[in-house]
Amino acid sequence: MPHASPISRRSVLGAAALAVSTVLALTGCVAGEGSSGSAAAAGSSKGGGTLNIDFATYNPLSLVIKKQGWLEASLKDQGVTVNWVQSAGSNKANEALRSGAIDVGSTAGSAALLARANGSEIKTIDIFSQPEWAALVAPAGSDIKSVADLKGKSVAATKGTDPYFFLLQALEQAGLKPGDVTVQNLQHADGRTALENGSVQAWSGLDPIMAGAEQKGAKLFYRNLDFNTYGFLNATESFLKNKPELAQAVVNAYEKARAWTAQNPDQTAQILADVAGLDLSVAKTVVLERSNLDVNPAPGDAQRKVLEKIGPTFVETGDVKTQKQIDDAVASLLDDSLVKKADPSAIKAS
């Protein structure tokens, strides 16, 4: 079974120069924690109100923005409160976006497509990463060596997230059907627990939780970068319509964070370690080897191609009723307008 090449080529350190140049070009045109602070939309026509935005351990840029307090500092004069809400997975971020609990949320590209195809009125306004964040994991000492070995086994996966769709694609490539395994629908952290206590024989894992399990002896027996979709930053259409200046401030902060992480990879890893409760060495593996934060932030053709590839799988599994829903979602999901106007220099230091 083919494996992805080492992801050290995607190292944040190696990409630092490009990240900084990207931001310059743009300027030219702990788990379970939540916090809030006074802030406001830079130049918001209405002022006041609340920005409800998520942070997630699978989105390092969100952790940096939250830690640095940039939105709070930049938006202070307008009297808007910044309310940070943790997303435990793409499915949870999608639930919060659909319910209006958050205005901006972090998901995998596959999860954003699934939500949009099923009626969630969201737009992808920034691409925060192109990570290798999902893989198939077996416990130490397991006789599972390949995807084919999963036939008849119980596998933990969080439905509606990239690891779940990673599993489906891996099964298809190995000539297996979803019904050839028993999927235990567990949130990511619970999937790791089930793997370690023997409740399941395998787990479709998500970093950084997966990296923590690996440190404890779990084995990543199948990796494939092509089956990982991008990290999508999504916003509700009502938020984009009613508070466009505030939405722009969020994207500005993301592009400031992208440049900062390129220049401060070790500090980025420390922030991740602190929030996720990881050893620093594990956090460095995630940030330096499995996170490509130096990706073109503008949602566009690269992401569209990935979505078009994964879309038919949703119809086959019954997650989406028709291919037309997929096609309409692909055509309407991506919005690069805020990235094109991004100005990281507009974001103040705390």
Side-chain angles (χ1 to χ4, degrees):
M1 195 61 59
H3 285 62
S5 58
I7 310 303
S8 57
R9 58 189 170 83
R10 296 186 178 277
S11 167
V12 174
L13 283 171
L18 182 56
V20 174
S21 64
T22 298
V23 170
L24 289 176
L26 287 168
T27 58
C29 27
V30 176
E33 170 192 274
S35 68
S36 62
S38 293
S44 174
S45 58
K46 297 181 179 180
T50 300
L51 165 63
N52 296 299
I53 184 170
D54 84 340
F55 69 103
T57 58
Y58 53 86
N59 178 359
L61 297 186
S62 71
L63 305 184
V64 169
I65 295 167
K66 180 175 183 292
K67 174 69 174 180
Q68 298 293 346
W70 290 333
L71 283 172
E72 289 82 351
S74 300
L75 310 177
K76 182 177 181 180
D77 292 343
Q78 300 297 322
V80 172
T81 297
V82 178
N83 179 41
W84 290 97
V85 179
Q86 183 166 24
S87 291
S90 294
N91 60 326
K92 297 300 183 183
N94 273 331
E95 289 173 9
L97 284 164
R98 185 184 288 272
S99 69
I102 58 175
D103 304 307
V104 182
S106 318
T107 74
S110 58
L113 174 62
L114 178 65
R116 180 79 194 191
N118 284 322
S120 183
E121 295 182 344
I122 59 171
K123 292 277 191 179
T124 300
I125 59 174
D126 191 281
I127 303 300
F128 62 80
S129 68
Q130 185 188 11
E132 185 195 23
W133 55 16
L136 298 183
V137 188
S142 172
D143 59 0
I144 296 176
K145 306 298 182 184
S146 69
V147 179
D149 294 334
L150 292 178
K151 187 172 184 178
K153 300 292 197 302
S154 181
V155 184
T158 310
K159 290 187 175 181
T161 71
D162 235 26
Y164 174 65
F165 301 121
F166 184 97
L167 171 63
L168 294 181
Q169 293 177 89
L171 292 173
E172 180 181 22
Q173 187 179 76
L176 299 178
K177 298 178 180 179
D180 288 327
V181 302
T182 300
V183 176
Q184 298 291 338
N185 184 21
L186 300 172
Q187 203 61 45
H188 301 299
D190 296 330
R192 174 185 173 177
T193 299
L195 183 78
E196 294 177 341
N197 68 24
S199 298
V200 297
Q201 286 76 58
W203 169 47
S204 195
L206 179 74
D207 268 338
I209 302 168
M210 182 171 69
E214 188 180 20
Q215 185 190 42
K216 300 298 184 182
K219 304 298 182 184
L220 277 54
F221 68 89
Y222 182 74
R223 299 168 67 176
N224 189 330
L225 182 62
D226 291 339
F227 287 173
N228 291 261
T229 60
Y230 291 77
F232 280 30
L233 186 70
N234 310 302
T236 64
E237 289 188 298
S238 60
F239 174 69
L240 295 174
K241 178 181 179 180
N242 297 327
K243 298 183 179 180
E245 297 87 355
L246 188 51
Q248 186 66 64
V250 171
V251 172
N252 291 347
Y254 262 80
E255 294 319 302
K256 181 180 179 70
R258 196 182 311 276
W260 189 91
T261 58
Q263 296 175 321
N264 301 278
D266 288 342
Q267 291 183 56
T268 302
Q270 186 64 64
I271 292 171
L272 173 60
D274 292 343
V275 176
L278 298 172
D279 289 345
L280 181 58
S281 61
V282 175
K284 285 184 176 180
T285 295
V286 174
V287 171
L288 301 179
E289 298 179 20
R290 296 184 188 161
S291 296
N292 177 21
L293 303 176
D294 178 42
V295 65
N296 183 346
D301 288 341
Q303 291 73 41
R304 192 171 293 109
K305 290 177 182 178
V306 171
L307 299 181
E308 289 172 344
K309 180 180 178 182
I310 188 67
T313 301
F314 296 162
V315 180
E316 292 170 11
T317 60
D319 291 296
V320 177
K321 290 183 179 180
T322 68
Q323 182 61 40
K324 185 180 185 304
Q325 288 173 262
I326 294 292
D327 296 340
D328 290 347
V330 171
S332 61
L333 177 63
L334 307 177
D335 182 350
D336 64 0
S337 63
L338 297 178
V339 169
K340 286 182 175 179
K341 296 183 292 184
D343 181 8
S345 68
I347 299 300
K348 299 177 183 178
S350 59

